[in-house]
Amino acid sequence: MDWLQALILGMIQGLTEFLPVSSSGHLIIGKELIGLEVTDNIAFETVVHCATVLSTITILRKEIVALFLKLFKLQWNPETQYIGMILLSMIPVMIVGLFFKNTVEQLFGEGLTLVGSMLIVTAILLTFSSLNFKFLNFKSLNFKPMGWGSAFLMGVAQAIAVLPGLSRSGATIATGLLAGVKKEEVAKFSFLMVLIPILGETALGAMKGDFSAAVSGIPASSLAIGFFAAYLTGCFACKFMIELVKRTNLLWFALYCSIAGIIALIYALW
């Protein structure tokens, strides 16, 4: 992977991480389009995901600091409960990552056929949540606040979304909406609940030496360029696209995922 390919893929990651369109799926599509082999090595993906997590921390730093300041008061206040719900939501994906990661990779692997199929599944999820939202006329009802049950269901959705092409944010936001939680609250929770799992995975990879050129096969300069490209575009995307997710009808994202999924399947079968 040269510096230009790393730059392009880093920008793809940063721009797609905060939309319900699957950043991992777009990375695989991007690799295919620029002629990189889609391999089992996940060093680059982990690095750019870490970059977008840091961009989330940068943009949402005030909210994160406020949560931790309340946590250190050692009181069972709303902020402490919110952090507890975030921790609860992480349990399913941690179980999958620790005990079933290799099994999932062996069963499903990664490639355009899987990515295309999962993008279509993402489109179905987004469509169902949008239409259900419309038919039940939730806008005229009182939304439920984020609760423990909703947080756990979103965590289960995040664990299932380890499959390439199945959007993590799309799955979690759709699940939250179907649980009757406000869209803006669902979007914020969706972006915060992934912070610790990604940072943890990055730390484990660094301790094992997965990011060295000898192990990853990727030059350190390319990893660095990909990281900064994803971080800078991620800061831009996080700042503007949280509002976009809150205000835009998810059916538009469903339409995009459908088209992208169909194109990916046609390309894979060509």
Side-chain angles (χ1 to χ4, degrees):
M1 179 184 293
D2 58 36
W3 70 268
L4 182 58
Q5 292 169 329
L7 178 66
I8 293 172
L9 293 177
M11 292 177 67
I12 290 174
Q13 166 65 25
L15 292 174
T16 58
E17 173 65 21
F18 301 98
L19 291 177
V21 297
S22 179
S23 60
S24 61
H26 279 73
L27 279 178
I28 293 174
I29 293 173
K31 285 182 180 181
E32 290 281 355
L33 293 179
I34 63 178
L36 280 177
E37 285 189 33
V38 178
T39 67
D40 292 332
N41 188 292
I42 61 170
F44 184 82
E45 286 82 352
T46 302
V47 165
V48 293
H49 273 93
C50 180
T52 48
V53 163
L54 292 180
S55 65
T56 304
I57 295 173
T58 300
I59 300 302
L60 298 179
R61 61 190 179 278
K62 292 182 180 179
E63 291 88 343
I64 294 172
V65 169
L67 287 173
F68 277 99
L69 287 177
K70 292 288 185 178
L71 176 65
F72 293 139
K73 290 186 176 181
L74 301 178
Q75 299 174 350
W76 191 241
N77 50 47
E79 289 79 10
T80 306
Q81 294 178 45
Y82 195 85
I83 292 176
M85 288 186 283
I86 290 177
L87 294 176
L88 175 65
S89 73
M90 296 185 328
I91 293 176
V93 74
M94 290 179 66
I95 291 174
V96 171
L98 290 174
F99 301 106
F100 301 106
K101 182 178 179 181
N102 292 334
T103 302
V104 171
E105 290 177 351
Q106 290 172 3
L107 286 176
F108 297 99
E110 59 180 34
L112 283 186
T113 302
L114 176 62
V115 169
S117 301
M118 291 300 102
L119 281 171
I120 292 175
V121 172
T122 299
I124 294 171
L125 282 173
L126 294 174
T127 300
F128 183 73
S129 64
S130 297
L131 293 180
N132 195 44
F133 183 89
K134 180 179 178 181
F135 291 154
L136 294 181
N137 197 22
F138 284 162
K139 291 183 178 180
S140 65
L141 302 175
N142 291 324
F143 287 94
K144 294 188 300 182
M146 178 62 67
W148 296 93
S150 302
F152 181 74
L153 289 175
M154 290 176 67
V156 172
Q158 177 172 250
I160 296 173
V162 298
L163 295 173
L166 183 56
S167 169
R168 187 204 64 83
S169 61
T172 54
I173 289 173
T175 300
L177 286 177
L178 290 172
V181 183
K182 290 181 181 179
K183 186 188 289 188
E184 56 269 26
E185 193 171 340
V186 166
K188 177 183 173 183
F189 191 85
S190 174
F191 296 148
L192 289 175
M193 66 189 285
V194 74
L195 296 184
I196 296 178
I198 292 296
L199 291 177
E201 183 179 0
T202 305
L204 289 174
M207 288 188 292
K208 293 189 297 183
D210 291 347
F211 305 132
S212 66
V215 175
S216 68
I218 302 173
S221 58
S222 295
L223 288 176
I225 289 172
F227 177 90
F228 285 108
Y231 174 76
L232 294 175
T233 55
C235 285
F236 168 81
C238 185
K239 185 175 182 179
F240 292 101
M241 292 185 183
I242 286 179
E243 289 298 320
L244 185 63
V245 170
K246 290 192 298 186
R247 300 178 185 277
T248 303
N249 193 315
L250 294 180
L251 287 174
W252 291 110
F253 294 114
L255 177 62
Y256 172 82
C257 288
S258 297
I259 295 173
I262 292 171
I263 291 175
L265 287 174
I266 293 175
Y267 188 88
L269 298 174
W270 190 261

